[in-house]
């Protein structure tokens, strides 16, 4: 008896749950306007009696324009500056301080000053060559060679800076045991 009462109660609960979910005249949802069907409002119309204004164009609807031709100078096309960046007074001061510190044997202080000068003048070949000399004094020949190569890439057509850079690179390579590389660097310096 208890099983049949529980079965009937369960069936009744299921029927009531389904009846509550069904939509029909007793539905909770009531559309706006009291149940009458509505249409979407029509967009506003412009009258032709008003003076016509300039139409607003979307970017995708813009009329095609002739592209403007920019004339390029093809006679000078290097990506680097022709003569390298000149040093600002602040960078010159830091380089001079670094020279004095190197003369006193304070290599870490000199490197610190030269790194500051490099942040001030990042495209100055002279700063990179000075950094290279400081790293040679510190015994870090790998970094010295890299800074020399960076300085050479920034020297542009300044033959004085290029010659100094190639000779510095030759000394560094010879100190590292790269005699062939040192000879090549000296040949590049002699060719200038």
């Amino acid at each position: 008896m208890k099983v049949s009462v529980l079965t009937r109660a369960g069936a009744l609960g299921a029927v009531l749950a389904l009846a509550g979910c069904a939509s029909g005249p007793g539905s909770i949802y009531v559309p706006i306007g009291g149940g009458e069907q509505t249409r979407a409002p029509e967009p506003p119309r412009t009258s032709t009696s008003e003076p016509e204004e300039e139409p607003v164009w979307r970017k995708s609807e813009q009329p095609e324009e002739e592209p403007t031709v920019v004339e390029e100078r093809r006679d000078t096309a290097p990506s680097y500056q022709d003569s390298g960046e000149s040093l600002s007074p602040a960078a010159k001061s830091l380089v001079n301080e670094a020279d004095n510190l190197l003369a006193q044997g304070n290599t870490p202080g000199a490197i610190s000053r030269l790194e500051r000068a490099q942040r001030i003048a990042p495209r100055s070949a002279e700063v990179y060559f000075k950094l290279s000399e400081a790293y040679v004094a510190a015994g870090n020949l790998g970094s010295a060679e890299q800074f020399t190569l960076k300085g050479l890439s920034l020297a542009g057509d300044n033959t004085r800076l290029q010659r100094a850079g190639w000779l510095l690179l030759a000394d560094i390579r010879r100190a590292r045991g790269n005699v062939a590389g040192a000879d090549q660097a000296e040949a590049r310096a002699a060719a200038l």
Side-chain angles (χ1 to χ4, degrees), residues 2 7 12 16 19 21 25 32 37 57 66 73 78 80 85 92 105 108 118 123 126 129 142 155 171 187 191:
K2 287 186 178 185
T7 306
L12 181 62
L16 289 175
C21 292
I32 299 176
Q37 296 213 356
W57 296 89
E66 293 288 325
R73 290 179 47 192
Y80 56 86
E85 183 177 288
K92 282 182 186 179
Q118 181 216 1
R123 298 199 44 84
E126 185 177 344
F129 293 152
D171 292 342

Side-chain angles (χ1 to χ4, degrees), residues 136-181:
V136 166
N140 189 344
L141 298 176
S143 293
E145 184 171 349
Q146 293 303 310
F147 279 117
T148 304
L149 291 171
K150 178 66 176 180
L152 281 168
S153 73
L154 296 173
D157 62 359
N158 187 331
T159 54
R160 180 190 63 81
L161 279 176
Q162 284 183 357
R163 186 175 295 114
W166 285 113
L167 291 174
L168 179 60
L169 184 63
D171 292 342
I172 293 168
R173 286 182 172 170
R174 188 162 282 109
R176 293 185 81 185
N178 183 356
V179 178

Side-chain angles (χ1 to χ4, degrees), residues 72-86:
E72 296 179 23
R73 290 179 47 192
R74 297 189 187 254
D75 55 341
T76 59
S79 61
Y80 56 86
Q81 294 180 348
D82 288 335
S83 61
E85 183 177 288
S86 61

Side-chain angles (χ1 to χ4, degrees), residues 58-73:
R58 292 185 201 138
K59 188 167 182 120
S60 62
E61 297 173 342
Q62 292 287 329
E64 292 290 322
E65 293 182 10
E66 293 288 325
T68 57
V69 177
V70 178
E71 292 189 28
E72 296 179 23
R73 290 179 47 192

Side-chain angles (χ1 to χ4, degrees), residues 1 12 28 37-38 42 52 73 85 100 114 153 160:
M1 176 129 175
L12 181 62
I28 296 176
Q37 296 213 356
T38 59
E42 291 196 26
E52 284 193 31
R73 290 179 47 192
E85 183 177 288
N100 292 336
L114 289 168
S153 73
R160 180 190 63 81

Side-chain angles (χ1 to χ4, degrees), residues 6 25 49 72 94 96 119 127 140 145-146 162 175 179 183:
L6 288 175
S49 61
E72 296 179 23
L94 288 167
N96 290 337
R119 287 190 294 274
V127 171
N140 189 344
E145 184 171 349
Q146 293 303 310
Q162 284 183 357
V179 178
D183 290 343

